[in-house]
Amino acid sequence: MDAVTPSGASPPPGRPLRRRAGSLAAAALVLAAAAGAALLALPRIEEGLRQAARERGEVTLALAAQAIDQLVRRFDPIPELIAARPHLRGALASPGSATQVAFVNEQLRLTARAVGASDVVLVGLDGTVVAAASYREGATPIGRDVLHRPHVHSAARGRAAFFHAAGPEGEAGSFHFSAPVLDGIDVIGVVSVRIDLREIEAGWQDLRGEIALADEGGIIFMSSRPEWTFRTLAPLSEARRAEIAAARQFFPGRLRPLDAKLSPLSDGMVRIEMGAGQPGGGTGTADAGGIFLVSSAPVALPGWHAIVLEPLGPIEAQARRVLLGWAAGALALVLLLVALAQRIARRREIERSARAERDRLERRVRERTAELGAANGRLQREIAERRDAEARLKRTQEHLVQAGKLAALGKMSAALSHEINQPLAAIKSYASNAGAFLDRGREDEARENVRRIARMTDRVARISTHLRNFARRPDDALVAVDLRRAVEQALELMEPELRARGVRVAVDAPAAPLHAKGGEVRLQQVLVNILSNAVAAMGEADDPRIEIGITEADGPGGPAVEVTVRDHGPGLDPETADQLFEPFFSRRSDKRGLGLGLSISYNIVEDFGGTLDARTHPGGGAEFRIRLRPAGEGEAAAPLAVPA
């Protein structure tokens, strides 16, 4: 803010103008310095970008050279392996045999397809192609004289050879790998494998830069730019041209030198300028021009080099863009400095306010931290209390399980006392009769009465054993439980009530035992609870029936075994189905029990790692399904309950 004179008049107009002029002069000075620094840095920028381009070119070069090396190493031993096949000697010995030649043609076709070759040919010593993998094609070389090819001539003299030449009509180059066919130590023919290089040229289109492959004579044999293919890096001698023409290796009209000028750069790199062509050079050179960075590396073939050219035009354009960016940044920096100079006072005021606010916030943080510490202490105490409550709840649940079993025992005791009294009365009667028979000397009848007494005693013992096992607190370990035996023992415990209600029970179980992971006594308790609910649900039905099924099943968690219990009562209404397994829920009209049986059963099955659910069966009545994990073959089975 400008100062005000004591009289309230405005300050002299020259002072703000001088201050603004000084700011502008400083800004101009900074901008000029930034522009000079950018101009001085331009060569370094270009050098760095060229270095990055060279590194990219070296990566591309390594990939291109590796592709050629792998191709040579892959196909170099193949002709010799093919030449070792015995059926080739038969075709060379009898070239007029249609059967022999047809068999060799098909074998060569299968071999070419297996190794990925364009063609495989068998040549006689006179240079005539006897058989070829391309015998089905219209342009098959069978019958041609190829002795003029250097690789065929060398192989006919017993030496493996390599040859490269233009493809059909000069469209794509090809490699030829040849080896002699031997009969003992005598050369009787030649095997030649041709590789079409169009796939490699197509793969080069995905790489950065321009790629070329030059042979030992400086002829560019492959290139990512078609107009460079079969051009030369230097003029060819007349003798070399004569050799190429005699071998029909290339098309002489295309073997023209590239208009290229090499010049070194300051950073050790080489710059090449490719002309757009030469006067009278013919067609195909209009796009050959450009300025590039050159990188080269030798490949597996003697004298051959892979060449990568990175265009310099984009590098120079990028350097200029970087320079302009620096200039724009310098201008922005100057403007920013001017703006900052005008806001220093305001910033200082903001900083003072910020310090005061920070102090206030720090006090609030300390107070809040103290409150959180107190709350954390209360939370820790609540967690400890919750853990104690959970432990008490677990103990209470265990007591409820045992109480449920004892309640079930109380329900069954009245019926079972009658069941036990009947054998006891019979035992007393049979004992009295046995004494009378002995007094009369009728020992056979007395002996029969004693046997009946023994059977009655076994029945009483069996009933008492089931009651004792059912009342005992079970172990926590899971064992293999025979489901059929668990169902049978549960039915024995329920037999008095079932008989008193006139309930018929049908059990459908496989012949072979099915074992599940669980506890036998606890599983019996689950079955007794379900059967007791089924009997109560049927009430005074005319034909009370219970159907029990034992099956294997597949579920979301894998293989399982199931026990289903279906009654023929009214089924489950939606409200009952939703609350069926909740503690203290009961719909029994007789108001017997605490409503804990199905809740306890649900927890027992869950402890086994299984599930317990219920539904209304489509045919009527309620159906409970116990799904358990199957026991493995090596797991111990639950011990049989034997009377003490």
Side-chain angles (χ1 to χ4, degrees):
M1 180 181 294
D2 295 335
V4 179
T5 60
S7 62
S10 299
R15 187 182 303 171
L17 293 177
R18 285 194 299 272
R19 187 161 54 240
R20 290 173 188 157
S23 299
L24 292 175
L29 181 60
V30 172
L31 185 60
L39 292 175
L40 292 176
L42 180 60
R44 301 297 299 271
I45 296 173
E46 290 182 346
E47 181 179 349
L49 293 175
R50 285 197 300 267
Q51 183 65 32
R54 181 169 69 175
E55 292 174 357
R56 292 195 302 269
E58 288 176 351
V59 173
T60 303
L61 184 65
L63 293 174
Q66 184 180 17
I68 299 299
D69 293 347
Q70 289 178 349
L71 181 70
V72 172
R73 286 194 296 270
R74 175 184 170 191
F75 285 98
D76 190 47
I78 289 178
E80 186 175 352
L81 297 175
I82 299 175
R85 296 181 176 178
H87 56 266
L88 299 184
R89 294 194 289 271
L92 290 171
S94 303
S97 173
T99 302
Q100 288 274 7
V101 172
F103 177 74
V104 171
N105 280 334
E106 183 62 18
Q107 291 298 312
L108 293 180
R109 186 183 72 83
L110 295 175
T111 300
R113 187 171 65 178
V115 302
S118 301
D119 200 2
V120 180
V121 298
L122 178 65
V123 185
L125 288 180
D126 60 350
T128 302
V129 177
V130 176
S134 59
Y135 73 96
R136 295 182 178 180
E137 301 174 7
T140 177
I142 295 177
R144 294 182 187 174
D145 183 2
V146 294
L147 192 61
H148 61 279
R149 294 280 185 162
H151 63 101
V152 176
H153 190 268
S154 297
R157 293 175 176 270
R159 298 188 303 272
F162 166 80
F163 184 66
H164 64 289
E169 300 181 3
E171 293 300 328
S174 59
F175 286 168
H176 299 263
F177 298 86
S178 301
V181 180
L182 301 177
D183 186 5
I185 61 174
D186 297 328
V187 178
I188 62 173
V190 173
V191 169
S192 178
V193 177
R194 180 170 67 86
I195 310 302
D196 193 341
L197 302 180
R198 281 178 293 186
E199 292 185 5
I200 293 182
E201 287 183 347
W204 284 358
Q205 302 300 325
D206 298 330
L207 299 178
R208 293 181 60 93
E210 305 295 345
I211 307 172
L213 181 67
D215 64 7
E216 72 281 2
I219 298 174
I220 298 177
F221 184 61
M222 294 173 58
S223 174
S224 59
R225 296 183 71 163
E227 61 269 16
W228 290 352
T229 306
F230 306 127
R231 302 288 294 276
T232 63
L233 300 177
L236 297 177
S237 65
E238 292 300 325
R240 177 57 180 155
R241 287 183 175 273
E243 291 178 1
I244 293 172
R248 302 177 191 175
Q249 185 176 11
F250 302 115
F251 293 88
R254 297 191 62 176
L255 297 178
R256 291 176 287 101
L258 288 170
D259 183 12
K261 297 180 181 179
L262 295 176
S263 57
L265 296 173
S266 60
D267 46 11
M269 290 178 275
V270 177
R271 176 180 180 273
I272 183 171
E273 182 177 355
M274 308 288 286
Q278 301 179 95
T283 61
T285 61
D287 298 328
I291 302 174
F292 305 90
L293 286 176
V294 184
S295 301
S296 65
V299 297
L301 300 170
W304 287 50
H305 280 76
I307 304 171
V308 173
L309 296 90
E310 285 281 344
L312 270 177
I315 295 174
E316 294 173 351
Q318 185 178 1
R320 289 191 294 270
R321 286 195 298 271
V322 172
L323 181 61
L324 290 175
W326 281 12
L331 178 60
L333 180 61
V334 170
L335 296 176
L336 178 62
L337 290 175
V338 172
L340 289 176
Q342 295 176 354
R343 298 185 179 182
I344 289 177
R346 177 60 180 164
R347 184 175 297 277
R348 289 176 179 174
E349 180 64 26
I350 292 174
E351 288 177 354
R352 285 194 296 271
S353 300
R355 281 196 297 270
E357 182 66 17
R358 184 169 59 250
D359 294 340
R360 186 180 66 83
L361 288 176
E362 287 178 356
R363 289 194 300 272
R364 291 289 303 277
V365 167
R366 287 194 294 270
E367 294 171 358
R368 187 59 178 163
T369 301
E371 294 175 0
L372 290 176
N376 186 46
R378 291 193 300 272
L379 182 60
Q380 293 294 334
R381 290 192 295 273
E382 290 178 2
I383 291 173
E385 293 173 358
R386 178 66 62 85
R387 288 175 178 170
D388 292 340
E390 289 177 353
R392 289 195 300 273
L393 177 60
K394 185 175 181 181
R395 290 194 296 271
T396 303
Q397 288 176 341
E398 292 175 354
H399 292 319
L400 285 175
V401 169
Q402 194 66 15
K405 291 167 59 176
L406 294 177
L409 282 175
K411 289 168 54 180
M412 292 185 290
S413 62
L416 291 177
S417 64
H418 175 71
E419 193 70 14
I420 294 174
N421 286 336
Q422 285 182 341
L424 291 177
I427 289 171
K428 181 178 180 181
S429 176
Y430 288 144
S432 299
N433 291 341
F437 286 141
L438 288 175
D439 291 340
R440 298 175 185 176
R442 297 164 63 180
E443 296 181 357
D444 293 338
E445 288 84 345
R447 188 175 294 106
E448 177 61 26
N449 278 6
V450 172
R451 283 196 293 270
R452 291 179 179 176
I453 290 172
R455 287 198 296 271
M456 292 296 177
T457 305
D458 290 340
R459 182 176 178 185
V460 173
R462 187 167 60 253
I463 294 173
S464 64
T465 298
H466 289 328
L467 289 173
R468 184 183 62 196
N469 288 339
F470 191 77
R472 182 182 300 137
R473 187 181 297 273
D475 296 332
D476 290 334
L478 300 182
V479 296
V481 178
D482 186 345
L483 297 181
R484 177 191 283 273
R485 190 176 71 188
V487 170
E488 290 174 351
Q489 292 178 351
L491 289 174
E492 285 188 20
L493 290 171
M494 289 293 298
E495 182 181 2
E497 185 174 354
L498 296 172
R499 189 167 59 250
R501 297 289 188 94
V503 179
R504 291 183 297 151
V505 179
V507 179
D508 182 12
L514 283 181
H515 293 85
K517 292 183 179 180
E520 185 173 27
V521 175
R522 288 193 287 170
L523 183 56
Q524 290 176 26
Q525 180 183 354
V526 173
L527 292 169
V528 167
N529 284 334
I530 294 175
L531 290 170
S532 177
N533 277 274
V535 172
M538 288 187 290
E540 301 298 330
D542 295 336
D543 183 19
R545 286 179 293 142
I546 295 177
E547 297 171 0
I548 302 176
I550 303 174
T551 58
E552 292 181 297
D554 289 328
V561 289
E562 290 183 354
V563 180
T564 57
V565 180
R566 176 196 173 192
D567 61 49
H568 284 263
L572 303 172
D573 58 76
E575 182 181 357
T576 301
D578 291 340
Q579 306 179 58
L580 192 61
F581 299 108
E582 293 184 4
F584 305 108
F585 176 78
S586 176
R587 280 298 185 92
R588 296 178 60 160
S589 58
D590 54 8
K591 301 302 181 182
R592 296 167 59 189
L594 299 174
L596 293 172
L598 290 180
S599 176
I600 292 171
S601 300
Y602 185 90
N603 290 328
I604 290 174
V605 175
E606 194 174 59
D607 289 343
F608 294 164
T611 58
L612 172 61
D613 55 37
R615 64 167 186 160
T616 298
H617 194 274
E623 182 183 63
F624 287 80
R625 181 178 63 177
I626 305 171
R627 181 185 289 263
L628 300 173
R629 295 177 297 167
E633 294 182 359
E635 297 187 42
L640 289 171
V642 180

